Amino acid sequence: MGSFRLEIPRSYDASPERVFRAWTDPASMKAWLAEGGDVVADPRPDGLFYLGMLYSGQVRPHYGRYLRVESPRLLEFTWVSEHTHGKESVVTLEFTPRGKQTELRLTHEGLPDERMAMAHTEGWTFFLDTLVARLGGMN
């Protein structure tokens, strides 16, 4: 793994259970995280996932393995893509209740270089903002 790390906090007007489900339910992941692309997910320790993210008319494969699945407070998984130079990095999501809101802290460690850390910061920021709209439509 590389030595670069990023951390992004967000707050959502939803319960930790709803926010956690958005990250673990394949239909939800397909809608907001893969932007309609293919999703295969087995959210349990050592379960695998694949996201065929659609971007500029192309499929960008991302895949990994769930390390920790502690609903609704913690989700940790490896993350591999061309933007990690094919090497594993680790994403940790912490879900903390704050009244009627959930504070989410995304940490992504092991990125290969500063350029890829910046690219992932932009990407994760986009997806975390997209999740706001997704949670507005979830039951």
Side-chain angles (χ1 to χ4, degrees):
M1 282 198 313
S3 60
F4 289 83
R5 175 182 195 274
L6 63 91
E7 191 172 299
I8 306 171
R10 278 292 178 283
S11 290
Y12 296 98
D13 290 326
S15 68
E17 292 81 7
R18 285 185 66 211
V19 181
F20 187 90
R21 191 169 62 243
W23 284 91
T24 56
D25 176 69
S28 177
M29 293 167 66
K30 178 177 178 134
W32 73 274
L33 189 55
E35 298 187 297
D38 292 328
V39 173
V40 176
D42 183 11
R44 61 182 175 83
D46 290 324
L48 303 177
F49 73 86
Y50 166 80
L51 301 171
M53 292 180 163
L54 297 178
Y55 180 76
S56 297
Q58 294 183 324
V59 174
R60 301 288 171 107
H62 295 73
Y63 53 93
R65 177 176 49 89
Y66 292 99
L67 302 173
R68 295 190 292 168
V69 180
E70 300 171 15
S71 178
R73 63 176 206 80
L74 181 79
L75 185 64
E76 186 174 72
F77 49 88
T78 63
W79 183 262
V80 180
S81 75
E82 67 182 87
H83 297 293
T84 64
H85 301 175
K87 296 188 183 338
E88 278 191 341
S89 57
V90 175
V91 176
T92 304
L93 302 168
E94 298 170 272
F95 307 84
T96 305
R98 298 277 187 246
K100 293 185 179 188
Q101 294 189 322
T102 297
E103 181 180 298
L104 171 73
R105 179 164 308 282
L106 181 148
T107 305
H108 194 159
E109 300 177 272
L111 292 162
D113 56 43
E114 186 175 2
R115 193 173 125 252
M116 289 298 104
M118 293 298 290
H120 278 87
T121 298
E122 290 174 17
W124 285 125
T125 297
F126 170 80
F127 286 111
L128 293 175
D129 291 346
T130 300
L131 183 55
V132 171
R134 175 67 189 163
L135 289 170
M138 290 180 67
N139 292 321

